[in-house]
Amino acid sequence: MARIVMKFGGTSMAGIERIRNVATRVKREVERGNEVAVVVSAMAGETDRLVNFCREASPLYDRREYDVVVASGEQVTSGLLAIALQALGVRARSWLGWQMPIETSDAHASARITGIDTTALGAAMASGEVAVIPGFQGMAADGRVTTLGRGGSDTSAVAVAAAMKADRCDIYTDVDGVYTTDPRIVPKARKLKYVTYEEMLELASVGAKVLQTRSVGLAMKEGVRVQVLSSFGDAPDGGDLPGTMIVNEEELEEKMERQLITGIAHDKNEAKVTLTAVPDRPGAVASIFSPLAEASINVDMIVQNVAHSTGSTDVTFTVPAAELARALDVLDKAKDAIGYDKVIHDTSVAKITVVGVGMRSHAGVAAQMFKALADRKINVLAITTSEIKVSVLIDEDYTELAVRVLHTAYGLDASDEAA
Ligand code: ADP
Ligand code: ASP
Ligand code: MG
């Protein structure tokens, strides 16, 4: 007997028929004699709909109330799955974030899980009852509802798996594993049988939304065994189709040769902000980024030119597009302290990133990237690099082209492997 956490994403929960399919998969695990907790997302599109209601109500909405609104999508699907399981003769009940509770920080809309009380949950599961847990939601110390940031159900699942000391955390989604890039953009993308926590962490953090970044960080820290699987279709033997297993580096070394580039990700959810004529003096950049940090707005790429004779320079950076309205508000309030002339902003940009642990010992990865983009006349607006990744900001219209061109340039196309 094993203790398993199964997580189903929005597409897998979109409608009663699909929820019945999920219930059948859960029943299969129960019939194998396993103790099961299920973590569910809201129906596909539902969280977007709820977020839009908040924005419509007020662009600078109260994030505590936003959490009350957006957490409701998962409440619906957890109740529905419990009903569908009961209809199949499986004992099940839902456990809302505040009922367990799943304790979080009070950073509304991007709260961190600080603890999970497993007493009641453990007893229920040990008695053979399936626990259905709405992902994405928790409760702050003051009792208010919180959410974990978009895609946060993955993190809920890994946190529950860690707290319950589960043998496995199976993430069921609408693709059958982690690919070298988004298979919806590049049909020649290759499924990775294994990927290391570190590489998955980087891929997720730069836009491969198949797993939320925090879920991977948590799985790495807590040693949770995570698999990404498809909730659609079965293997010929009636079990799950093979997916992708997240492993540590030693395990990977045993299993296969390391690739130079593991994958390519894109992110259209960034906004570019430029402040013009920022005075060239010590403390100028601090006066921009300190108030943004105080408002918990993450700044990603930064480009600053050296000022020549004018005594001032333009500063360009990116923030999450969802935070643009708040960022502009913060910058407006700090205008006198910073001393800039104008703010220009643009959400029609995309960040493209190549990731690979092999980069550490290999020069020329960035040059190859710039050349492949230049050959297609794709202009680079900003660049950032780390030990195992290179990111460029480009015009959003070229996203698909850039990803495809780079996928081929680094020899990742499925046909290359077969050759
Ligand atoms: P869920 O609702 O199940 O959480 P998501 O939409 O959050 O599903 O994540 C799955 C999607 O991630 C896939 O449909 C795919 O388009 C996208 N994706 C992006 N990059 C990758 C990748 N490298 N491998 C697999 N899927 C990816
Ligand atoms: N429903 C939430 C979202 O769409 C959380 C999740 O699905 O993981 O972001
Ligand atoms: Mg997701």
Side-chain angles (χ1 to χ4, degrees):
M1 188 198 73
R3 184 174 270 185
I4 303 172
V5 174
M6 304 170 81
K7 181 258 169 179
F8 293 89
T11 318
S12 314
M13 297 298 291
I16 300 300
E17 248 344 282
R18 291 191 182 172
I19 291 177
R20 280 204 191 102
N21 166 49
V22 166
T24 308
R25 281 173 191 275
V26 173
K27 184 177 182 193
R28 201 157 74 190
E29 289 299 349
V30 173
E31 282 174 347
R32 285 182 187 142
N34 295 320
E35 274 181 25
V36 183
V38 192
V39 175
V40 295
S41 287
M43 294 193 196
E46 179 63 6
T47 310
D48 286 343
R49 195 175 76 96
L50 297 169
V51 169
N52 284 334
F53 280 144
C54 295
R55 290 205 183 119
E56 251 181 70
S58 167
L60 294 175
Y61 48 76
D62 177 344
R63 299 219 271 182
R64 292 163 299 188
E65 300 304 344
Y66 162 98
D67 278 348
V68 172
V69 176
V70 300
S72 67
E74 273 75 7
Q75 174 161 342
V76 172
T77 47
S78 57
L80 287 173
L81 179 58
I83 293 173
L85 282 165
Q86 290 166 7
L88 293 181
V90 178
R91 275 204 305 127
R93 75 152 272 193
S94 62
W95 293 85
L96 300 185
W98 59 269
Q99 291 174 324
M100 286 168 63
I102 293 183
E103 292 147 12
T104 74
S105 67
D106 63 0
H108 285 272
S110 59
R112 274 177 189 278
I113 296 177
T114 51
I116 297 184
D117 188 337
T118 56
T119 327
L121 189 69
M125 282 172 70
S127 80
E129 186 175 77
V130 172
V132 186
I133 300 162
F136 186 48
Q137 56 173 258
M139 186 188 86
D142 62 1
R144 297 192 73 155
V145 173
T146 54
T147 63
L148 310 179
R150 297 304 306 269
S153 299
D154 298 328
T155 302
S156 308
V158 172
V160 169
M164 298 297 300
K165 303 198 174 18
D167 300 280
R168 271 173 21 223
C169 180
D170 293 343
I171 307 276
Y172 289 86
T173 183
D174 55 4
V175 285
D176 60 353
V178 178
Y179 281 70
T180 45
T181 193
D182 189 340
R184 298 192 191 285
I185 292 196
V186 180
K188 285 182 183 170
R190 255 194 292 129
K191 187 162 81 183
L192 300 164
K193 216 165 156 194
Y194 303 99
V195 64
T196 64
Y197 288 105
E198 202 182 7
E199 286 166 328
M200 194 59 238
L201 193 63
E202 288 288 356
L203 279 171
S205 75
V206 293
K209 66 170 183 163
V210 60
L211 288 177
Q212 198 203 30
T213 313
R214 276 187 190 168
S215 72
V216 187
L218 190 63
M220 183 153 110
K221 184 168 148 262
E222 302 284 341
V224 177
R225 261 192 114 61
V226 176
Q227 261 189 106
V228 177
L229 299 161
S230 169
S231 66
F232 301 96
D234 284 319
D237 68 357
D240 290 323
L241 287 164
T244 300
M245 179 72 85
I246 321 282
V247 295
N248 56 38
E249 285 211 30
E250 296 79 65
E251 249 180 300
L252 187 73
E253 301 295 343
E254 282 166 22
K255 293 184 195 305
M256 61 193 281
E257 287 241 326
R258 174 161 300 297
Q259 295 260 340
L260 174 59
I261 300 299
T262 310
I264 298 169
H266 70 277
D267 186 357
K268 292 185 181 177
N269 296 315
E270 298 223 358
K272 178 165 77 91
V273 179
T274 300
L275 299 183
T276 68
V278 175
D280 183 31
R281 58 171 169 77
V285 282
S287 69
I288 300 170
F289 297 118
S290 302
L292 289 170
E294 274 156 30
S296 306
I297 297 170
N298 279 331
V299 172
D300 181 13
M301 309 174 105
I302 302 176
V303 184
Q304 186 193 4
N305 289 325
V306 178
H308 287 292
S309 52
T310 57
S312 68
T313 182
D314 292 353
V315 178
T316 296
F317 52 92
T318 60
V319 295
E323 303 283 13
L324 180 62
R326 287 201 314 123
L328 295 176
D329 186 53
V330 167
L331 293 167
D332 187 51
K333 289 188 177 127
K335 185 164 197 274
D336 291 341
I338 304 169
Y340 63 86
D341 180 22
K342 273 190 306 205
V343 190
I344 303 165
H345 54 90
D346 185 1
T347 49
S348 56
V349 290
K351 185 172 72 172
I352 314 291
T353 307
V354 296
V355 172
V357 175
M359 255 183 234
R360 280 195 193 121
S361 52
H362 223 274
V365 170
Q368 196 179 355
M369 182 178 197
F370 304 147
K371 175 153 190 336
L373 296 172
D375 286 348
R376 292 303 183 108
K377 309 226 168 340
I378 299 172
N379 196 23
V380 173
L381 308 170
I383 302 166
T384 51
T385 64
S386 83
E387 223 189 357
I388 66 166
K389 69 171 190 230
V390 185
S391 303
V392 294
L393 194 70
I394 63 168
D395 183 333
E396 185 184 43
D397 289 347
Y398 295 104
T399 309
E400 283 75 14
L401 177 64
V403 172
R404 267 191 280 118
V405 162
L406 293 171
H407 199 265
T408 306
Y410 290 112
L412 295 175
D413 290 352
S415 53
D416 292 356
E417 197 191 38

Short mmCIF file of all heavy atoms in Angstrom, two decimals, residues 289-322:
data_model
loop_
_atom_site.label_atom_id
_atom_site.label_comp_id
_atom_site.label_asym_id
_atom_site.label_seq_id
_atom_site.Cartn_x
_atom_site.Cartn_y
_atom_site.Cartn_z
N PHE A 289 13.82 50.98 -7.66
CA PHE A 289 13.50 49.59 -7.34
C PHE A 289 13.12 49.36 -5.87
O PHE A 289 12.42 48.40 -5.57
CB PHE A 289 14.64 48.67 -7.78
CG PHE A 289 14.81 48.72 -9.29
CD1 PHE A 289 15.98 49.18 -9.88
CD2 PHE A 289 13.76 48.36 -10.12
CE1 PHE A 289 16.11 49.26 -11.27
CE2 PHE A 289 13.87 48.42 -11.51
CZ PHE A 289 15.05 48.88 -12.08
N SER A 290 13.53 50.27 -4.97
CA SER A 290 13.13 50.06 -3.57
C SER A 290 11.63 50.16 -3.38
O SER A 290 11.03 49.26 -2.79
CB SER A 290 13.85 51.05 -2.64
OG SER A 290 15.23 50.88 -2.78
N PRO A 291 10.97 51.22 -3.89
CA PRO A 291 9.51 51.25 -3.68
C PRO A 291 8.77 50.11 -4.37
O PRO A 291 7.76 49.63 -3.87
CB PRO A 291 9.08 52.61 -4.27
CG PRO A 291 10.24 53.17 -4.99
CD PRO A 291 11.47 52.46 -4.52
N LEU A 292 9.31 49.63 -5.50
CA LEU A 292 8.67 48.48 -6.16
C LEU A 292 8.81 47.23 -5.29
O LEU A 292 7.85 46.47 -5.11
CB LEU A 292 9.30 48.23 -7.54
CG LEU A 292 8.99 49.27 -8.62
CD1 LEU A 292 9.87 49.06 -9.85
CD2 LEU A 292 7.51 49.23 -9.02
N ALA A 293 10.00 47.07 -4.70
CA ALA A 293 10.21 45.90 -3.82
C ALA A 293 9.30 46.00 -2.60
O ALA A 293 8.71 45.00 -2.17
CB ALA A 293 11.67 45.83 -3.40
N GLU A 294 9.18 47.22 -2.06
CA GLU A 294 8.31 47.38 -0.88
C GLU A 294 6.86 47.01 -1.21
O GLU A 294 6.13 46.54 -0.34
CB GLU A 294 8.36 48.83 -0.37
CG GLU A 294 9.51 49.06 0.59
CD GLU A 294 9.93 50.52 0.65
OE1 GLU A 294 9.07 51.39 0.44
OE2 GLU A 294 11.14 50.76 0.86
N ALA A 295 6.48 47.23 -2.46
CA ALA A 295 5.11 46.88 -2.87
C ALA A 295 5.03 45.42 -3.32
O ALA A 295 4.03 45.00 -3.91
CB ALA A 295 4.65 47.80 -3.99
N SER A 296 6.09 44.63 -3.05
CA SER A 296 6.17 43.20 -3.42
C SER A 296 5.99 42.98 -4.92
O SER A 296 5.40 41.99 -5.36
CB SER A 296 5.11 42.35 -2.69
OG SER A 296 5.20 42.54 -1.34
N ILE A 297 6.51 43.91 -5.72
CA ILE A 297 6.45 43.73 -7.18
C ILE A 297 7.81 43.22 -7.64
O ILE A 297 8.84 43.88 -7.42
CB ILE A 297 6.08 45.05 -7.90
CG1 ILE A 297 4.68 45.48 -7.46
CG2 ILE A 297 6.17 44.89 -9.42
CD1 ILE A 297 4.27 46.87 -7.90
N ASN A 298 7.81 42.04 -8.26
CA ASN A 298 9.06 41.43 -8.70
C ASN A 298 9.54 42.05 -10.00
O ASN A 298 8.82 42.05 -10.98
CB ASN A 298 8.87 39.94 -8.96
CG ASN A 298 8.92 39.15 -7.68
OD1 ASN A 298 9.60 39.55 -6.73
ND2 ASN A 298 8.20 38.05 -7.66
N VAL A 299 10.76 42.55 -9.98
CA VAL A 299 11.35 43.07 -11.21
C VAL A 299 12.26 41.99 -11.76
O VAL A 299 13.00 41.35 -11.02
CB VAL A 299 12.16 44.36 -10.92
CG1 VAL A 299 12.93 44.80 -12.14
CG2 VAL A 299 11.22 45.44 -10.43
N ASP A 300 12.16 41.75 -13.08
CA ASP A 300 12.95 40.65 -13.64
C ASP A 300 14.15 41.19 -14.42
O ASP A 300 15.24 41.34 -13.89
CB ASP A 300 12.03 39.79 -14.51
CG ASP A 300 12.74 38.61 -15.12
OD1 ASP A 300 13.87 38.31 -14.68
OD2 ASP A 300 12.19 37.98 -16.04
N MET A 301 13.95 41.56 -15.69
CA MET A 301 15.09 42.01 -16.50
C MET A 301 15.30 43.51 -16.29
O MET A 301 14.33 44.25 -16.18
CB MET A 301 14.79 41.73 -17.97
CG MET A 301 14.36 40.33 -18.23
SD MET A 301 13.85 40.06 -19.94
CE MET A 301 15.24 39.16 -20.58
N ILE A 302 16.55 43.94 -16.27
CA ILE A 302 16.83 45.38 -16.13
C ILE A 302 17.88 45.78 -17.17
O ILE A 302 18.89 45.09 -17.33
CB ILE A 302 17.40 45.72 -14.72
CG1 ILE A 302 16.42 45.27 -13.64
CG2 ILE A 302 17.71 47.20 -14.60
CD1 ILE A 302 16.92 45.45 -12.22
N VAL A 303 17.63 46.89 -17.87
CA VAL A 303 18.62 47.42 -18.81
C VAL A 303 18.81 48.88 -18.49
O VAL A 303 17.85 49.65 -18.43
CB VAL A 303 18.13 47.33 -20.28
CG1 VAL A 303 19.22 47.79 -21.23
CG2 VAL A 303 17.69 45.92 -20.64
N GLN A 304 20.06 49.26 -18.25
CA GLN A 304 20.34 50.68 -18.03
C GLN A 304 21.53 51.08 -18.88
O GLN A 304 22.57 50.42 -18.85
CB GLN A 304 20.67 50.94 -16.56
CG GLN A 304 20.83 52.41 -16.29
CD GLN A 304 21.44 52.71 -14.94
OE1 GLN A 304 21.82 51.80 -14.22
NE2 GLN A 304 21.56 53.98 -14.61
N ASN A 305 21.33 52.13 -19.65
CA ASN A 305 22.44 52.60 -20.47
C ASN A 305 23.34 53.52 -19.67
O ASN A 305 22.90 54.15 -18.72
CB ASN A 305 21.92 53.38 -21.68
CG ASN A 305 21.27 52.44 -22.67
OD1 ASN A 305 21.71 51.31 -22.83
ND2 ASN A 305 20.20 52.90 -23.29
N VAL A 306 24.60 53.59 -20.08
CA VAL A 306 25.52 54.55 -19.45
C VAL A 306 25.14 55.93 -19.97
O VAL A 306 24.93 56.13 -21.17
CB VAL A 306 26.97 54.22 -19.85
CG1 VAL A 306 27.94 55.23 -19.26
CG2 VAL A 306 27.32 52.81 -19.41
N ALA A 307 25.03 56.89 -19.07
CA ALA A 307 24.72 58.25 -19.51
C ALA A 307 25.99 58.88 -20.08
O ALA A 307 27.07 58.68 -19.54
CB ALA A 307 24.23 59.06 -18.33
N HIS A 308 25.86 59.58 -21.17
CA HIS A 308 27.04 60.24 -21.70
C HIS A 308 27.00 61.73 -21.33
O HIS A 308 27.05 62.06 -20.16
CB HIS A 308 27.15 60.01 -23.21
CG HIS A 308 27.57 58.59 -23.50
ND1 HIS A 308 28.81 58.10 -23.19
CD2 HIS A 308 26.88 57.55 -24.02
CE1 HIS A 308 28.89 56.82 -23.51
NE2 HIS A 308 27.72 56.47 -24.02
N SER A 309 26.80 62.61 -22.28
CA SER A 309 26.92 64.04 -21.97
C SER A 309 25.66 64.61 -21.31
O SER A 309 25.71 65.63 -20.64
CB SER A 309 27.21 64.80 -23.27
OG SER A 309 26.24 64.41 -24.22
N THR A 310 24.51 63.90 -21.44
CA THR A 310 23.24 64.51 -21.01
C THR A 310 23.06 64.53 -19.50
O THR A 310 22.25 65.27 -18.98
CB THR A 310 22.05 63.73 -21.60
OG1 THR A 310 22.18 62.37 -21.18
CG2 THR A 310 22.02 63.80 -23.11
N GLY A 311 23.79 63.66 -18.77
CA GLY A 311 23.62 63.59 -17.31
C GLY A 311 22.39 62.82 -16.90
O GLY A 311 22.02 62.79 -15.73
N SER A 312 21.71 62.20 -17.87
CA SER A 312 20.56 61.36 -17.53
C SER A 312 20.51 60.17 -18.47
O SER A 312 21.17 60.16 -19.51
CB SER A 312 19.27 62.16 -17.64
OG SER A 312 19.02 62.48 -18.98
N THR A 313 19.74 59.16 -18.08
CA THR A 313 19.70 57.92 -18.87
C THR A 313 18.32 57.29 -18.78
O THR A 313 17.56 57.59 -17.86
CB THR A 313 20.77 56.94 -18.36
OG1 THR A 313 20.74 55.77 -19.15
CG2 THR A 313 20.52 56.53 -16.92
N ASP A 314 18.00 56.41 -19.74
CA ASP A 314 16.74 55.67 -19.67
C ASP A 314 16.98 54.36 -18.92
O ASP A 314 18.02 53.74 -19.08
CB ASP A 314 16.24 55.33 -21.08
CG ASP A 314 15.80 56.57 -21.85
OD1 ASP A 314 15.77 57.66 -21.24
OD2 ASP A 314 15.52 56.44 -23.05
N VAL A 315 16.01 53.97 -18.10
CA VAL A 315 16.09 52.68 -17.40
C VAL A 315 14.89 51.84 -17.83
O VAL A 315 13.75 52.29 -17.72
CB VAL A 315 16.09 52.87 -15.86
CG1 VAL A 315 16.13 51.52 -15.16
CG2 VAL A 315 17.27 53.74 -15.43
N THR A 316 15.18 50.65 -18.35
CA THR A 316 14.11 49.74 -18.79
C THR A 316 14.12 48.50 -17.91
O THR A 316 15.19 48.00 -17.58
CB THR A 316 14.35 49.34 -20.26
OG1 THR A 316 14.25 50.51 -21.06
CG2 THR A 316 13.32 48.33 -20.75
N PHE A 317 12.93 48.01 -17.55
CA PHE A 317 12.86 46.77 -16.78
C PHE A 317 11.52 46.09 -17.04
O PHE A 317 10.63 46.67 -17.66
CB PHE A 317 13.05 47.03 -15.27
CG PHE A 317 12.13 48.08 -14.71
CD1 PHE A 317 10.90 47.72 -14.17
CD2 PHE A 317 12.49 49.42 -14.73
CE1 PHE A 317 10.05 48.68 -13.65
CE2 PHE A 317 11.63 50.39 -14.23
CZ PHE A 317 10.42 50.02 -13.69
N THR A 318 11.41 44.84 -16.59
CA THR A 318 10.14 44.13 -16.76
C THR A 318 9.55 43.79 -15.40
O THR A 318 10.27 43.56 -14.42
CB THR A 318 10.32 42.83 -17.58
OG1 THR A 318 11.22 41.98 -16.90
CG2 THR A 318 10.82 43.11 -18.98
N VAL A 319 8.21 43.77 -15.37
CA VAL A 319 7.46 43.35 -14.18
C VAL A 319 6.37 42.38 -14.68
O VAL A 319 6.04 42.41 -15.88
CB VAL A 319 6.79 44.54 -13.45
CG1 VAL A 319 7.82 45.49 -12.86
CG2 VAL A 319 5.82 45.30 -14.36
N PRO A 320 5.79 41.57 -13.81
CA PRO A 320 4.68 40.74 -14.28
C PRO A 320 3.56 41.63 -14.81
O PRO A 320 3.22 42.65 -14.19
CB PRO A 320 4.23 39.99 -13.02
CG PRO A 320 5.40 40.04 -12.11
CD PRO A 320 6.12 41.33 -12.40
N ALA A 321 2.98 41.26 -15.97
CA ALA A 321 1.95 42.10 -16.57
C ALA A 321 0.79 42.33 -15.59
O ALA A 321 0.21 43.42 -15.55
CB ALA A 321 1.44 41.46 -17.86
N ALA A 322 0.50 41.33 -14.77
CA ALA A 322 -0.61 41.46 -13.83
C ALA A 322 -0.33 42.54 -12.78
O ALA A 322 -1.25 43.02 -12.12
CB ALA A 322 -0.86 40.12 -13.14
#
